[in-house]
Amino acid sequence: MTTSPERRYADRIEEFSDRHTFAIDVVLVMALMGCATLGSVLTLPGAEPPDQDRTAAALLGLSCLSLLKHRTHPRVAVVISGVCASTVVGLGYLLTPLLLAPVMAALYWLATLTDRRTTRAYGITTLVAVIVAAAFSDSMDHISLLLRTLGPLFWLLLPLAAGNMTRLRRAYLAAVQARAEHAERTREEEARLRVTEERMRIARELHDVVAHHMALANAQAGTAAHLALTSPEQTKAILTDLTGTTSSALRELKATLGLLRQNGDPDSAPLEPSPGLARLPELVSACASAGLKVTVTTDGEPQVLSPGVDLTAYRIVQEALTNVTKHAATQAAHVRFEYTGSRLTITVSNDGPVAAGATRASAPAESDSARSRGFGVMGMRERARSIGGDLCAGHRPEGGFEVTTALPLQPYAADGGGGSEQASDEVLRGQARRP
């Protein structure tokens, strides 16, 4: 990025002043001393200067020397310069901007380095002192009181206003820089959060696709091997279904991985739509070919689901049936949909005993074991909570295993509390108590 020569010179001067503050202050004090000395010799036409040169020089010198400490003691510098200026004016010297140069500089630095209340208190006090000294000065007897008052008032208000503007500008620049730094930190944190959420979402998708289809393929292959000698026709049908299962797994896996390769090019090939409950008959048919009979019932009037809820509902049913296929010693499962108000309750259960495996370890009472043996129930619970729903899974008192989830018809961010989650808990508890 290129910068103008004026900007480069300004940066160099600012850098030099930051490194040599004392030298800059000495130069400024000498310049102010010269202005004050010149102002002390000015008189009105026909008037004689007062015979107080040494006293005036000493007071003006003290006033200028006090300005060397204006960075650390701005209040002290204002008090000393104000007292000295008032005394010099009271001695009969003509009040001019050159004579007031030290006190004007002190007021400017006071307004720049302190707060508004301090500036107001010290500034008004100094104004009153100088104006009173000018009102009773012998050097301006023939000038009206109004002019003797307006002159110092204008010249001393000018540095106060300039100092306030400088202070406000510095505060504004500091606030802008702070907001920029905060926005940068927030942007980085948000980017990391989005990457983490996307990684978790892709991990869940891959788990659901691979685990479901591999479990079905394993079950179908085992059934085909068992019936190979006794029932060749049934074995052929199962192997045909096995081909369809693996093909479906490859298609879904390609669609999921295709999201990672999608670059927004309009000419790129469209991806396969996300699965939903419309593909539930295919899922039931695939489970049947693996030896699991699935019955589906629906209570209430079916309603249109948003794409996110539709995908979540399908994946939860898919994972629950996959767990039944892998771990339950039964050949039947039940899927129940219940539409009530603005929520959809899904219950997937099996009646047989549950083998000691990943499903048992995935019960809520043994979350640590579930984390080490599998991610099925944990993934289903994460999916439900991501759209504002909830899920519970566990053994039934009468035997078997049950997964119950309550999902909103329209997704919303789960906040970890509130009436919606309480309603979900009540629905889930009611489903768990139902025989």
Side-chain angles (χ1 to χ4, degrees), residues 278-326:
R279 293 179 55 180
L280 188 60
E282 300 179 15
L283 179 62
V284 172
S285 176
C287 291
S289 65
L292 178 66
K293 182 180 179 181
V294 181
T295 58
V296 181
T297 58
T298 303
D299 294 339
E301 183 68 23
Q303 301 185 35
V304 179
L305 304 178
S306 66
V309 176
D310 197 17
L311 174 62
T312 300
Y314 177 81
R315 289 303 188 194
I316 290 177
V317 174
Q318 182 186 57
E319 179 62 24
L321 293 179
T322 300
N323 287 341
V324 174
T325 303
K326 292 192 296 184

Side-chain angles (χ1 to χ4, degrees), residues 57-139:
L59 291 173
L60 294 176
L62 178 62
S63 175
C64 292
L65 289 177
S66 66
L67 297 179
L68 291 175
K69 295 294 184 180
H70 76 273
R71 298 181 185 274
T72 57
H73 300 84
R75 300 171 183 84
V76 176
V78 168
V79 171
I80 295 176
S81 60
V83 170
C84 293
S86 301
T87 305
V88 171
V89 173
L91 291 176
Y93 287 89
L94 181 64
L95 191 150
T96 61
L98 293 176
L99 190 68
L100 293 178
V103 69
M104 291 173 63
L107 289 175
Y108 171 80
W109 286 320
L110 176 74
T112 303
L113 301 175
T114 61
D115 58 279
R116 182 176 299 177
R117 176 178 297 181
T118 302
T119 302
R120 187 181 297 114
Y122 283 83
I124 293 176
T125 304
T126 304
L127 278 171
V128 171
V130 175
I131 290 174
V132 169
F136 292 97
S137 175
D138 297 335
S139 62

Side-chain angles (χ1 to χ4, degrees), residues 35-44 49-50 53 60 93-94 96 98-99:
C35 292
T37 303
L38 179 60
S40 64
V41 300
L42 297 177
T43 58
L44 292 174
D53 293 341
L60 294 176
Y93 287 89
L94 181 64
T96 61
L98 293 176
L99 190 68

Side-chain angles (χ1 to χ4, degrees), residues 323 327-329 350-357 359-360 394-396 399-402:
N323 287 341
H327 307 299
N350 62 280
D351 299 329
V354 181
T359 305
R360 181 180 299 274
H395 303 284
R396 302 195 304 173
F401 198 83
E402 183 177 82

Side-chain angles (χ1 to χ4, degrees), residues 220-221 224-225 232-246:
Q220 290 169 339
E233 294 296 330
Q234 189 175 0
T235 301
K236 182 179 179 181
I238 293 175
L239 292 177
T240 303
D241 293 337
L242 177 59
T243 303
T245 300
T246 54

